[in-house]
Amino acid sequence: MPVALAAAVMVAIPLTSPSSGPQAEAWTPMSPVAVDYAAESAAGTARGRLLGFNDFHGALEPPVGSGGLVNGNPAGGVEYLATYVERLRDQGKANGEKVLTVGAGDLVGATPLISAAFHDEPSIEVLSALGLNIASVGNHEFDEGVDELKRLQKGGCHPVDGCQDGDGFEGADFRYLSANVVDKQTRKPILRPYEIKMVQGVPVAFVGMTLEGTPAIVNPAGISTVDFLDEVETANSYADQLSRLGIKSMVLLIHEGGQQNSPPTPQDPSSCANFAGPITNIVAGLRPEFGLVVSGHTHRFYSCALPNSSGANSVVTSAGSNGTLVTDIGVKLDRKTRKFTNISARNVIVENGVKNADGTWAKDAQGNFVRNPDLVNAAAKAIVDKYRAAVAPLANKVVGSITADITRVASAAGETALGDVIADAQLAYTTSQQAQIALMNPGGIRADLSYAFSPGGEQPGQVTYGEAFTVQPFNNLVVTQTLTGAQLKEVLEQQFTGYAGQTTTKFLQVSAGFAYSYDTTQTLGSRVTQMSLNGVPIDLAASFKVTSNDFLANGGDGFTKLSLGTGRVYAPGFDVDALVAHLTNAAPVAPGPRDRITKIA
């Protein structure tokens, strides 16, 4: 496949090029971004189009629940993404632009069963067929370790499971970049750090990396041989090297991001309203040659102009997640100076539904969105169908039932109905280990359970193994260990940013019988109060059997205090097995009550 071809992106059909037509008015945070950098010289202009996306997470099929909606519009699924990509590619060619497709990490990992059952080879295959050219690694690219990531790039059968689909595995046609992930011994990047592409005679360098904090959010066993370096220092080091080669225009593909904040509600996918997040400080330290930053990780959409180290703006984009959006980025470069003269970008929803005459989206008798067959790409469908058939016997097996939708929508205190259910499932799964309390990290809950969704033709309310796996796709172990009441309190205190090294606030989901309150007006380390088990106040000196997945038990998501437990006992199977057992044994399962955690202030 020619590397000049583009592929993955964002479009509402039909779509006009952001780099064609009259120059847009000055950018504001409430409009799609457009930044002018310098006047064009008499040497003329090179024009390109970059099609960007991030956090695809193996969304071969349209996501269900909130993960498949953008402001209420049904979106995503690679069969639909491929249609939009193909049309954008043709449009770029018709406009005389050089088109490239880029990704900003987490293309694989935390994937539904249709991809995960084959070690994400299906996702690599379909993204290669889309014409993806370059992608940075994300934290989830390391879910199965460094060696497995290298296999996905280079090809070859899985060392344990072989080539399960019967036709081998050639690896990715696109180039993964990992500038800031280096071997501990050689200090060299484990994959290529950058790629240079010619845009109508002008060289443009693409540098790719993931967030420095990756070790805190992946299983440490698979990354013991590598170090994750500072993003700004690494990017600028390569910018220095590349500038000495005469390259003046650079793109940073980075798996780190931010988010828009209300108001307004809902957010425009192409705006930058009240923006905040780690990417702002990263961009602020970048050399100005990085005129464009394609970001990810937060699963949020935005198109921003953020100041770099020179005080000038860099364009910063993100396309949400699950292929529900793609970012159409127009670039202009001066042929003499080789510098960006203009960059513009906007996000477009990859709609997959059928609209009614009144503008609403059509649904079937069970309340599921009707998918639009006219937007299905035949080539992508052929790949997905192959893996659908291979995984169907396992994926469509009914394992239990629910009484209503069970979602990840959080209460004011940070508790979710699905978090309650998963914590209850893990507690029930470890009763033979005398477990008393179970804790679940919210980032490990990847999808909702939908009452009406019936992927295998099952009755409404019935839950298949594939649906359960989509909720918990990591195959973490389930571990029970002993903590004192004081240690348990420390774990809960570590939910808040700034305490004991915690970098982001996140609320652990807790099992039935355990309850606590917290007050954010109190000082860090003194926010958690009124802990109780079955109505009895927790004795800080007493010992308790606490269950979690092994990612958490090893200090994942910044919960290093949980790794101090003793007397570990591992349950058979994986965390998804605990959920499946609960869905079977407690059927039908009702949504969790969201009344175990209380926010005082």
Side-chain angles (χ1 to χ4, degrees), residues 115-122 151 156-158 160-169 386-387 390-391:
S115 184
F118 305 96
H119 299 282
D120 282 327
E121 292 173 15
R151 186 185 74 88
C157 295
H158 189 272
V160 176
D161 294 328
C163 287
Q164 297 166 276
D165 64 358
D167 60 6
F169 177 62
K386 177 180 72 171
Y387 290 105
V391 80

Side-chain angles (χ1 to χ4, degrees), residues 53-116:
F53 64 98
N54 49 276
D55 298 275
F56 178 68
H57 289 294
L60 274 64
E61 299 178 296
V64 297
S66 59
L69 294 173
V70 177
N71 292 345
N73 300 296
V78 77
E79 295 161 302
Y80 303 92
L81 177 62
T83 295
Y84 285 84
V85 165
E86 188 173 275
R87 296 187 183 189
L88 273 180
R89 179 186 298 122
D90 292 343
Q91 186 182 73
K93 290 179 179 179
N95 288 339
E97 301 165 333
K98 171 63 178 284
V99 186
L100 295 168
T101 303
V102 299
D106 279 9
L107 306 181
V108 299
T111 53
L113 188 64
I114 188 174
S115 184

Side-chain angles (χ1 to χ4, degrees), residues 254-293:
I254 182 169
H255 192 69
E256 179 61 289
Q259 65 181 49
Q260 301 186 70
N261 294 284
S262 297
T265 300
Q267 299 286 353
D268 184 331
S270 295
S271 67
C272 191
N274 302 306
F275 188 81
I279 195 65
T280 58
N281 288 334
I282 292 173
V283 174
L286 293 178
R287 287 178 51 146
E289 289 92 338
F290 286 107
L292 173 63
V293 178

Side-chain angles (χ1 to χ4, degrees), residues 124-494:
I124 297 296
E125 183 178 343
V126 77
L127 292 175
S128 295
L130 273 174
L132 180 62
N133 298 113
I134 314 166
S136 70
V137 295
N139 55 284
H140 281 291
E141 264 77 14
F142 294 93
D143 280 351
E144 292 193 45
V146 172
D147 290 342
E148 175 64 1
L149 171 57
K150 290 180 178 179
R151 186 185 74 88
L152 292 180
Q153 175 71 89
K154 299 176 182 179
C157 295
H158 189 272
V160 176
D161 294 328
C163 287
Q164 297 166 276
D165 64 358
D167 60 6
F169 177 62
E170 297 180 355
D173 284 348
F174 57 91
R175 177 69 64 183
Y176 262 128
L177 303 177
S178 62
N180 70 328
V181 187
V182 300
D183 184 274
K184 285 185 175 181
Q185 300 300 319
T186 67
R187 308 310 296 170
K188 293 181 179 179
I190 60 169
L191 296 172
R192 189 174 296 183
Y194 62 82
E195 188 91 348
I196 299 172
K197 295 291 186 181
M198 300 301 293
V199 176
Q200 297 183 344
V202 178
V204 178
F206 295 80
V207 179
M209 61 181 67
T210 188
L211 69 157
E212 183 184 7
T214 292
I217 52 178
V218 301
N219 197 313
I223 57 171
S224 61
T225 62
V226 297
D227 286 328
F228 293 80
L229 306 182
D230 179 86
E231 303 98 333
V232 174
E233 291 179 3
T234 303
N236 287 343
S237 174
Y238 282 105
D240 185 59
Q241 295 180 33
L242 291 162
S243 65
R244 291 198 297 268
L245 296 175
I247 297 174
K248 305 301 181 183
S249 297
M250 303 175 196
V251 177
L252 181 63
L253 309 175
I254 182 169
H255 192 69
E256 179 61 289
Q259 65 181 49
Q260 301 186 70
N261 294 284
S262 297
T265 300
Q267 299 286 353
D268 184 331
S270 295
S271 67
C272 191
N274 302 306
F275 188 81
I279 195 65
T280 58
N281 288 334
I282 292 173
V283 174
L286 293 178
R287 287 178 51 146
E289 289 92 338
F290 286 107
L292 173 63
V293 178
V294 180
S295 67
H297 188 54
T298 57
H299 290 201
R300 304 303 176 95
F301 46 64
Y302 46 85
S303 67
C304 297
L306 301 178
N308 56 48
S309 64
S310 72
N313 284 329
S314 295
V315 170
V316 183
T317 70
S318 175
S321 63
N322 293 322
T324 55
L325 292 156
V326 289
T327 310
D328 194 8
I329 306 166
V331 298
K332 294 181 180 180
L333 305 107
D334 188 276
R335 293 184 184 275
K336 180 179 180 181
T337 66
R338 297 182 171 185
K339 294 181 178 181
F340 290 119
T341 61
N342 175 271
I343 301 176
S344 59
R346 63 172 178 163
N347 284 320
V348 175
I349 303 171
V350 180
E351 296 172 349
N352 59 29
V354 174
K355 275 195 173 180
N356 297 316
D358 62 0
T360 61
W361 294 101
K363 295 185 177 181
D364 62 20
Q366 287 73 43
N368 299 302
F369 287 106
V370 176
R371 307 300 181 186
N372 190 340
D374 294 335
L375 294 178
V376 172
N377 178 276
K381 182 178 185 298
I383 296 172
V384 176
D385 281 348
K386 177 180 72 171
Y387 290 105
R388 281 192 184 111
V391 80
L394 175 61
N396 294 335
K397 180 182 178 182
V398 174
V399 296
S401 61
I402 55 178
T403 64
D405 290 349
I406 307 180
T407 75
R408 297 165 292 164
V409 177
S411 69
E415 185 176 354
T416 72
L418 188 50
D420 287 351
V421 168
I422 292 174
D424 290 348
Q426 294 189 358
L427 182 65
Y429 197 64
T430 52
T431 54
S432 61
Q433 282 80 50
Q434 289 77 52
Q436 299 165 280
I437 300 166
L439 306 174
M440 178 62 195
N441 55 311
I445 307 173
R446 307 303 297 190
D448 302 332
L449 283 175
S450 170
Y451 182 84
F453 185 54
S454 302
E458 68 277 5
Q459 294 298 309
Q462 291 184 323
V463 179
T464 65
Y465 181 83
E467 291 176 276
F469 189 90
T470 299
V471 172
Q472 288 191 273
F474 295 109
N475 277 341
N476 289 318
L477 302 176
V478 180
V479 58
T480 303
Q481 56 184 337
T482 299
L483 297 174
T484 66
Q487 288 175 318
L488 178 59
K489 182 177 185 297
E490 281 286 280
V491 170
L492 298 178
E493 296 286 0
Q494 208 170 16

